[in-house]
Amino acid sequence: MGKIIALANQKGGVGKTTTTINLAASLATLEKTVLVIDADPQANASSGLGVDINKIDCSIYECIIGEAAVHDAIYTTDIPGLDIIPSHINLVGAEIEMLELENRETVIKRMLEPVKSEYDYILIDCAPSLGLITVNSLTAADSVIIPVQSEYFALEGISKLLNTIKIIKRKLNPQLEIEGFLLTMYDSRLRLANQVYDQVKRHFQELVFKTVIQRNVKLSESPGHGLPVILYDATSTGAKNYLSLANEIINR
């Protein structure tokens, strides 16, 4: 049975999509079968894995509103063992359409049932919001990775996210666990980055991943080429960091 991991933080620009793309690619490189679900209308995870969103016939949107079966929306990527269900700008309107559905918080959970046993890991890239699609993603997930940027106000909004997770755990998904807090955009030369790391470690202790994702030019460049960093430059710090994270998750 595959493990479903949501990547969530309602704060934008913290490295959710970068982590989804590169963790998925690293897990696939380590011979795991992986499905990425792009649950963000901006569709950055889709383009970052080389999907031309203007040329796809079927996306997560069609699956959510019941126009397509989940298998119709799965596309392969350049990495063997790594597939993706892409997103589309139409997803913006899906939350309003979902309001009329029965059990609207469990649409994505039910959507993923037929494919859960076909993959080792299913990673859901959540939008930077705590709307209905993110609630759906957390209801479908076994665990959640929370990327935290090594900058000022890093912990701002995390209490709101943790509160949402607590409510979902109580009402919709008692099995939901926190997989870990992941420090991203870390620069060990900056005193601030080290202060943020200490602060996160003090707050969340063993829930913080040992791996930190360092600031890395290749990591920033690779999405522009529609490639995960491991294909763009396998020797880069970014590629090594995400392989280390993938190993940490597999070994848990």
Side-chain angles (χ1 to χ4, degrees):
M1 228 15 181
K3 182 173 192 179
I4 302 178
I5 304 176
L7 288 97
N9 189 334
Q10 75 275 24
K11 200 166 183 278
V14 297
K16 276 190 303 291
T17 301
T18 301
T19 297
T20 305
I21 292 168
N22 291 295
L23 174 57
S26 298
L27 286 166
T29 303
L30 296 168
E31 299 186 343
K32 301 293 177 187
T33 51
V34 187
L35 176 65
V36 168
I37 312 291
D38 191 348
D40 183 348
Q42 295 176 76
N44 291 335
S46 305
S47 52
L49 284 172
V51 175
D52 184 345
I53 49 174
N54 299 312
K55 291 185 179 164
I56 57 169
D57 307 317
C58 193
S59 70
I60 186 174
Y61 170 74
E62 283 78 15
C63 297
I64 283 175
I65 62 164
E67 279 184 7
V70 66
H71 285 98
D72 297 336
I74 295 175
Y75 291 78
T76 56
T77 69
D78 290 338
I79 295 185
L82 174 55
D83 295 342
I84 181 167
I85 293 180
S87 186
H88 194 276
I89 193 65
N90 289 351
L91 196 59
V92 171
E95 297 208 351
I96 294 159
E97 294 177 60
M98 287 164 81
L99 291 175
E100 310 201 337
L101 298 176
E102 217 175 314
N103 301 323
R104 57 178 180 253
E105 295 88 358
T106 58
V107 173
I108 289 180
K109 185 184 174 98
R110 296 195 306 271
M111 176 189 109
L112 293 178
E113 281 302 324
V115 293
K116 194 171 178 184
S117 59
E118 295 172 20
Y119 294 92
D120 295 317
Y121 292 94
I122 296 176
L123 304 184
I124 308 177
D125 184 27
C126 298
S129 79
L130 292 177
L132 189 51
I133 303 250
T134 299
V135 168
N136 256 270
S137 302
L138 293 170
T139 303
D142 299 305
S143 65
V144 54
I145 290 174
I146 302 169
V148 180
Q149 198 177 357
S150 309
E151 292 190 357
Y152 274 123
F153 310 125
L155 297 179
E156 201 181 61
I158 286 209
S159 59
K160 201 172 178 187
L161 174 62
L162 293 179
N163 197 38
T164 303
I165 290 170
K166 206 152 79 183
I167 293 166
I168 287 170
K169 209 170 151 71
R170 194 170 70 240
K171 296 189 170 179
L172 296 163
N173 182 5
Q175 278 75 47
L176 183 64
E177 298 294 338
I178 291 175
E179 187 76 30
F181 291 84
L182 175 69
L183 256 104
T184 61
M185 305 177 201
Y186 180 76
D187 185 341
S188 58
R189 295 167 305 179
L190 299 178
R191 199 170 76 206
L192 172 66
N194 292 304
Q195 285 170 345
V196 170
Y197 181 78
D198 292 342
Q199 197 182 10
V200 173
K201 200 81 178 133
R202 197 166 57 245
H203 269 74
F204 304 113
Q205 295 160 0
E206 72 283 353
L207 283 176
V208 182
F209 284 108
K210 290 186 180 70
T211 304
V212 294
I213 308 301
Q214 292 162 271
R215 276 201 182 277
N216 179 241
V217 174
K218 300 292 184 190
L219 196 54
S220 309
E221 288 174 356
S222 59
H225 298 267
L227 293 170
V229 71
I230 203 159
L231 286 190
Y232 183 64
D233 184 350
T235 61
S236 66
T237 303
K240 288 172 184 166
N241 288 166
Y242 278 109
L243 268 174
S244 165
L245 177 65
N247 273 310
E248 205 174 326
I249 286 168
I250 290 167
N251 293 328
R252 283 186 161 190

